[in-house]
Amino acid sequence: MSPSVAVVASLNVDHIVQAPRIPEPGETLLGFSTSRELGGKGGNQAVAAARLGASVAVLGCVGQDEDGDEYLEALLAEGIDVTHVRRSASPTGRAAITVDAEGVNSIVVVAGANADIPAAAAETAISDLPGLRVVVGQLEAAVEATERAFTAARARGVLTVLNTAPVDDVAARLLPLSDVVVSNEIEFRQLTGEDPFDGARRGSAGLFAAGCRWVIVTLGAAGCVVLDAASATQVPAVAVRAVDTTAAGDSFVGALAARLAEMPGEPTTADVVAACGFAAKVAAVVVTRPGAHPSLPTLAEVLDA
C-alpha cells in the first residue's frame, strides 16, 4: 500500500529517569528507576499514525550503530516504509528525559544523525511517493530537509503539518510552507510571545499572515484550541490520571495526521476540529502508560478506552 502519511522524522533513543520532581539547576536528586526506549518526535509520530491504521513512510537518518539497526527493525515491525531512512557516520540521536511523580517531563535532545537527513533526497521522496495525503515535520530533524519536503508537498497539493517542537528561529522558514501548525502552550508562547489562554487569537494572527491555514494549540488537561483566520474552537481533553506525558504531544500529531489523511478532498476547519477530538482521545490513552513507543495505542485500544 502506498503511504498516505510521510514523516520527516527525528529518530532517537530515549534514556528515561523517573524522579520525584524535575530537579532545579545545580540540584542532584535521587530517582526511582531508569529505562531505555525508542523515541524521537518524528519516530513517535510515525509509529502513532501507523498503529492507528495509516500507511506511513519515514524520511530520516540513523547512525551506523546498533541503535540505528534497532530503530530500523522496530519501524519495519510496525509496517512503516523505511526506504527513505539513510545511515550516517553520526551516532543515532539521543534524548535524556526526566519524568516526575505527576507524569510531567523535561527533555534534552542531542540530534546526532537527525541533522544529516539529505535535503535533496527528502524532496525527491515527497515528489515521488504516490497516494500521499499528509506530510509531517518537527524541528528535531534537519530543517533544510523538512523545508524541501514541505515545498515538494505544497507543489503537489499535499497537506503539511508542522509540530513546532523544539521552538527555534528556523521555524520562521517553515511557517509559509505549513498548512497546519501544532504547538503546545510553552511553544506557542516562545513562537508568538502571547499567552495561549488569553492571547491565542493575537498570537495566531502572525502565523496566519506567514501562510498557515490552521493553528492548533495543545493545552494539556485543558484540551486544545483550533484556530483559523476567522474562528477559534475549544476541543476538550479526556480526563485521566497521567502517569507519563512523554509522547503525548507526538501521539496527538500522529493521530491528527492519520485522521486527516483519511478525509476525502480538501479539509475544512470542521474536519480539523474533528481530527483533534480523535487525537485528544489518543493522547489520553498515552499519558496513562509509561514511555514513548510502548505507550502508543492501536486504533482498537483507543476505541475501547
Side-chain angles (χ1 to χ4, degrees), residues 267-283:
T268 66
T269 296
D271 292 330
V272 176
V273 169
C276 285
F278 172 71
K281 294 177 182 178
V282 173

Side-chain angles (χ1 to χ4, degrees), residues 55-129:
S55 177
V56 180
V58 163
L59 286 62
C61 193
V62 294
Q64 297 174 10
D65 49 27
E66 291 183 0
D67 289 341
D69 294 340
E70 181 183 1
Y71 215 126
L72 286 173
E73 290 172 5
L75 293 176
L76 286 168
E78 300 287 348
I80 292 172
D81 182 343
V82 298
T83 304
H84 305 287
V85 178
R86 303 299 181 93
R87 306 301 292 261
S88 168
S90 301
T92 299
R94 291 175 181 260
I97 304 174
T98 302
V99 181
D100 74 11
E102 303 300 320
V104 177
N105 62 36
S106 176
I107 305 174
V108 177
V109 175
V110 179
N114 293 313
D116 300 336
I117 303 172
E123 179 179 13
T124 299
I126 298 301
S127 298
D128 291 348
L129 283 169

